[in-house]
Amino acid sequence: MPSEGSYQSLSELHRSRVVEYLHRNGVSSRADISQALGLTPAAITKISAKLIELGIISETGTVEGKRNRRALGLTLNNSKYRVIGVKFARSLVQIGVFDISGLQHSLLDLPPVKDAHISDTISEIKRIIRDLLRNDPNIIAVGMSVPGPYLRHDGRIAVVTSMPGWTDISYADEFENAFPVPTFIEHDARSGALAESLFDPRITSDTIAYYLVGEGVGLGVMDHEQLVNGDRGAATEIGHISIDINGRPCKCGNVGCLECYCSAVAVHQELIDSDILAQDHPDIASMTHRDACNALFAASNAGNARATELLRNISRYVGYGCVNIINAYNPRQIIIGDIMAQAGDILLTTVQKVLRERIVPEILNSTEILLSTLTSDPAITGAAATAANQFLRYPSLFARNT
């Protein structure tokens, strides 16, 4: 006979399974849920009644069941539950509001962050979040995605190339108890993997890798639906794997790190050091990293041969990262996202060419390479997914807080 606590945990587990099924499959009948989850019809009736009582799901119309019989459908009340997502990316901070289906309701870009003004940025983030919470009672949690390596037990980042001031910040101390709703903090690439898993209908595997190529280069791996974290949360740091033992020095102390060659910061520096875009963008040095990369993509699309050559060279480095991801983790699907993914087909075709040259065909043939198509940047959507995932796992807890 289980104790009361374990009985409650088992009940919440079953509620979570029903909520997650509705999240992934949309309107469904009780019979469909019963068959899919291997629970008895009586159990599903009891679970759904409790979830309806809590306001987490609703009955909606009828759906076609077995033998063409009509049955009442159940749906997740996505619009009733919203989360705030905050993306930290060195000089870039974004704050968005999403519902638990991943639908974006608002998105705010803060002014580019300077290393000397990080404390002011933190104060502004807190002010904005408190205003959002005050004006929207349906917001149930805050999720944050931060660059890695993120030491989750310490609540801080070990190293941030180009913005060392962020390493002095304890995200846990600053944010975990700063608001009247819970705050969840995750490594940016891992939160991106969560976002792809929860919100991208093309993701059909439970073994995936989200390859973040933005201001930094990161990796989030889900192995059979579990995030790979490592001992201190510093696993899967693909950006600091050396691809050239005699290469460029990195702020992490290593040399030849991948992010020194294909991050948006590295690309921006290449553009400053060259005259590829000088005629159309004499102000290239003062542009944001994102805007500089977008200018490169536009120039390549317009037929600038030197821009295209540079973009192909950068894309080859992105491909070398994919080689390491496949050999180290063997994911079924790799999703490339963030700033450099906006390069589109030229990036994807170059990466695929590199993989054909360097990966065992039997393994490559079972690996799918995708560019992220989420409406928002997967890292900001991932911040929201970090919070939404907690709702999906513990729905009753959040229902009591609304």
Side-chain angles (χ1 to χ4, degrees), residues 30-325:
R30 289 173 174 83
D32 288 339
I33 299 171
S34 172
Q35 183 176 29
L37 300 185
L39 296 171
T40 66
I44 293 298
T45 296
K46 182 177 180 180
I47 293 166
S48 61
K50 183 62 176 178
L51 291 171
I52 290 171
E53 176 190 332
L54 292 171
I56 295 171
I57 68 174
S58 299
E59 290 183 331
T60 175
T62 58
V63 295
E64 188 172 311
K66 292 180 178 178
R67 299 176 184 174
N68 295 323
R69 293 177 179 173
R70 307 296 292 177
L72 281 173
L74 297 175
T75 187
L76 190 58
N77 291 333
N78 290 320
S79 61
K80 182 177 178 180
Y81 296 96
R82 296 189 186 125
V83 296
I84 294 172
V86 184
K87 171 188 174 178
F88 295 87
R90 295 162 173 80
S91 66
L92 174 67
V93 175
Q94 293 177 302
I95 302 175
V97 176
F98 299 76
D99 70 25
I100 55 170
S101 72
L103 178 65
Q104 178 187 304
H105 290 269
S106 66
L107 184 64
L108 173 66
D109 281 42
L110 271 64
V113 183
K114 303 294 185 183
D115 211 40
H117 301 139
I118 286 175
S119 61
D120 295 333
T121 298
I122 289 174
S123 297
E124 181 66 0
I125 292 168
K126 289 178 180 178
R127 183 194 66 77
I128 292 169
I129 291 175
R130 287 170 180 146
D131 285 348
L132 288 170
L133 291 170
R134 191 178 303 115
N135 294 325
D136 189 347
N138 288 331
I139 295 174
I140 57 169
V142 177
M144 296 184 167
S145 65
V146 302
Y150 179 63
L151 308 178
R152 60 179 62 248
H153 300 305
D154 301 333
R156 65 180 184 84
I157 303 169
V159 59
V160 185
T161 53
S162 78
M163 288 285 285
W166 283 118
T167 61
D168 297 329
I169 303 303
S170 170
Y171 290 85
D173 290 346
E174 289 288 352
F175 296 111
E176 282 188 349
N177 298 303
F179 314 113
V181 299
T183 298
F184 305 98
I185 303 168
E186 185 55 90
H187 175 277
D188 53 6
R190 291 192 191 103
S191 68
L194 270 177
E196 296 291 347
S197 175
L198 289 176
F199 304 138
D200 188 339
R202 299 174 304 163
I203 303 307
T204 57
S205 174
D206 60 5
T207 303
I208 68 169
Y210 174 68
Y211 183 14
L212 181 155
V213 193
E215 290 197 354
V217 175
L219 178 67
V221 175
M222 294 191 75
D223 186 12
H224 296 87
E225 298 187 345
Q226 296 297 315
L227 286 170
V228 175
N229 291 312
D231 177 49
R232 300 190 65 188
T236 70
E237 280 298 327
I238 190 77
H240 294 291
I241 287 179
S242 179
I243 58 170
D244 183 353
I245 60 172
N246 298 308
R248 301 170 184 173
C250 180
K251 295 291 180 62
C252 75
N254 198 0
V255 297
C257 287
L258 179 64
E259 78 170 34
C260 294
Y261 298 87
C262 62
S263 69
V265 175
V267 173
H268 193 180
Q269 190 61 51
E270 290 263 9
L271 293 171
I272 292 170
D273 293 342
S274 71
D275 62 351
I276 291 174
L277 302 184
Q279 183 172 346
D280 293 329
H281 299 282
D283 60 340
I284 190 75
S286 63
M287 295 171 71
T288 66
H289 302 314
R290 181 187 295 276
D291 287 344
C293 289
N294 286 338
L296 174 65
F297 306 153
S300 175
N301 289 334
N304 183 323
R306 293 180 66 204
T308 299
E309 182 183 4
L310 175 59
L311 189 50
R312 284 205 178 103
N313 188 48
I314 294 160
S315 298
R316 278 194 289 272
Y317 286 113
V318 176
Y320 302 153
C322 280
V323 170
N324 283 292
I325 293 167

Side-chain angles (χ1 to χ4, degrees), residues 326-402:
I326 293 171
N327 286 329
Y329 300 103
N330 185 212
R332 174 66 185 83
Q333 294 174 297
I334 298 175
I335 308 95
I336 304 173
D338 216 300
I339 294 172
M340 295 308 298
Q342 303 308 306
D345 286 345
I346 191 170
L347 174 76
L348 187 59
T349 56
T350 304
V351 167
Q352 290 169 332
K353 182 176 184 294
V354 169
L355 296 180
R356 286 194 298 271
E357 296 168 349
R358 296 168 181 260
I359 294 292
V360 175
E362 289 83 354
I363 298 175
L364 180 59
N365 291 340
S366 63
T367 307
E368 185 179 15
I369 312 296
L370 302 166
L371 298 181
S372 180
T373 57
L374 292 179
T375 304
S376 298
D377 171 356
I380 179 68
T381 310
T386 299
N389 189 54
Q390 294 296 319
F391 171 87
L392 295 174
R393 293 178 62 190
Y394 308 105
S396 303
L397 175 64
F398 290 94
R400 293 189 193 106
N401 288 337
T402 61

